[in-house]
Amino acid sequence: IKASHAQKEAEAERLKAQQEARAAQAVSDFLRKDLLESMAPYAVQKQDITVRSWLDDTSAKLEGRFENEPLIEAQIRYSLGKSYFNLGVYDLAEKHLIRAYALQLEKSGNKNIDTLNTMEMLGSVYMKMGLYGEAENLFNQTISGRKEVLSADDPNTLSTMNELAVSYLSSGQYDKAENLYNEALAIREKIFGENGTFTLLMTGNLADVYRLQ
């Protein structure tokens, strides 16, 4: 019975890995094909291709494309949302990330790595937009989820803790920022030592809080 159970678990993991590989390939194929089409000679002659124009064109082509493959659509929207964020186009970043988050939440739940990544990215968008309450809510959920799925000392968890502390700092909630930085500092000291690079960076962040108080 134990062997049968182990075999079923192994088969489930194998199927999951295959699904994730197919999804990653589908995302890559869609984005690469669209980029190559955008850079084709006839297209370049018509207009100057920029990152923003490519993102806008790709976004338009995405609509209705993956209605039966929601998680693939979500991954593509996450990539587009992150790209728009990097360009400072926060309204369009928000649009893609909200849709990606909704799809992932429905299909994978809130304790899924991809869902948590999108949650954090959307929080970063809201922080840039000055919507600190919305950002902090998403960051807190991400931290809680990553502590459960990964660990409290995982680099991704610590990264989100830093994002949340920055949001607290930006919105004048200095006590909350100080407490969070102290929590993160204790974890980093345990992992990297008192003189570790990441520990010193966190110490510098904490010094900024004391300076602003």
Side-chain angles (χ1 to χ4, degrees):
I1 297 175
K2 289 183 178 179
S4 177
H5 181 68
Q7 289 174 347
K8 288 181 179 179
E9 285 189 341
E11 179 64 14
E13 287 297 320
R14 186 183 68 81
L15 291 174
K16 180 182 177 183
Q18 287 182 343
Q19 291 172 351
E20 290 176 348
R22 284 197 297 270
Q25 187 62 50
V27 172
S28 176
D29 289 346
F30 175 79
L31 295 175
R32 186 176 63 251
K33 180 176 182 293
D34 188 73
L35 176 60
L36 291 174
E37 288 179 351
S38 298
M39 295 301 293
Y42 71 87
V44 175
Q45 290 172 5
K46 292 182 179 180
Q47 61 179 349
D48 292 330
I49 301 299
T50 64
V51 174
R52 172 63 192 274
S53 67
W54 176 77
L55 288 172
D56 292 344
D57 186 53
T58 302
S59 297
K61 291 178 180 178
L62 177 60
E63 297 303 325
R65 183 76 173 270
F66 295 98
E67 290 182 352
N68 297 321
E69 299 174 290
L71 292 179
I72 291 177
E73 178 183 341
Q75 288 186 47
I76 293 171
R77 288 191 182 278
Y78 173 82
S79 296
L80 293 172
K82 188 173 182 179
S83 296
Y84 275 121
F85 173 82
N86 290 334
L87 290 179
V89 187
Y90 302 126
D91 57 334
L92 295 181
E94 178 193 18
K95 175 185 175 182
H96 282 293
L97 292 168
I98 284 177
R99 180 58 179 161
Y101 179 48
L103 291 170
Q104 291 167 334
L105 199 59
E106 179 183 355
K107 298 298 180 180
S108 303
N110 65 348
K111 296 298 187 294
N112 172 268
I113 294 295
D114 291 333
T115 307
L116 292 169
N117 289 342
T118 302
M119 199 183 297
E120 180 186 36
M121 193 72 244
L122 184 55
S124 297
V125 171
Y126 284 141
M127 184 165 65
K128 287 292 187 180
M129 296 172 76
L131 302 174
Y132 298 115
E134 288 85 342
E136 289 154 16
N137 179 49
L138 288 168
F139 288 148
N140 272 310
Q141 290 184 62
T142 305
I143 292 168
S144 176
R146 283 181 169 165
K147 282 182 176 179
E148 183 175 337
V149 175
L150 301 172
S151 67
D153 58 4
D154 185 89
N156 291 296
T157 306
L158 292 170
S159 174
T160 314
M161 290 174 70
N162 185 68
E163 286 281 291
L164 178 57
V166 171
S167 184
Y168 284 148
L169 200 59
S170 300
S171 59
Q173 301 178 75
Y174 302 124
D175 288 344
K176 288 184 177 181
E178 179 184 351
N179 291 336
L180 195 57
Y181 276 138
N182 275 318
E183 179 184 350
L185 179 60
I187 295 172
R188 288 180 184 268
E189 283 182 343
K190 181 179 178 182
I191 299 172
F192 303 109
E194 292 184 0
N195 296 317
T197 301
F198 292 108
T199 304
L200 294 175
L201 286 172
M202 191 58 63
T203 302
N205 290 341
L206 189 57
D208 288 338
V209 177
Y210 293 143
R211 179 174 54 81
L212 291 169
Q213 283 179 321

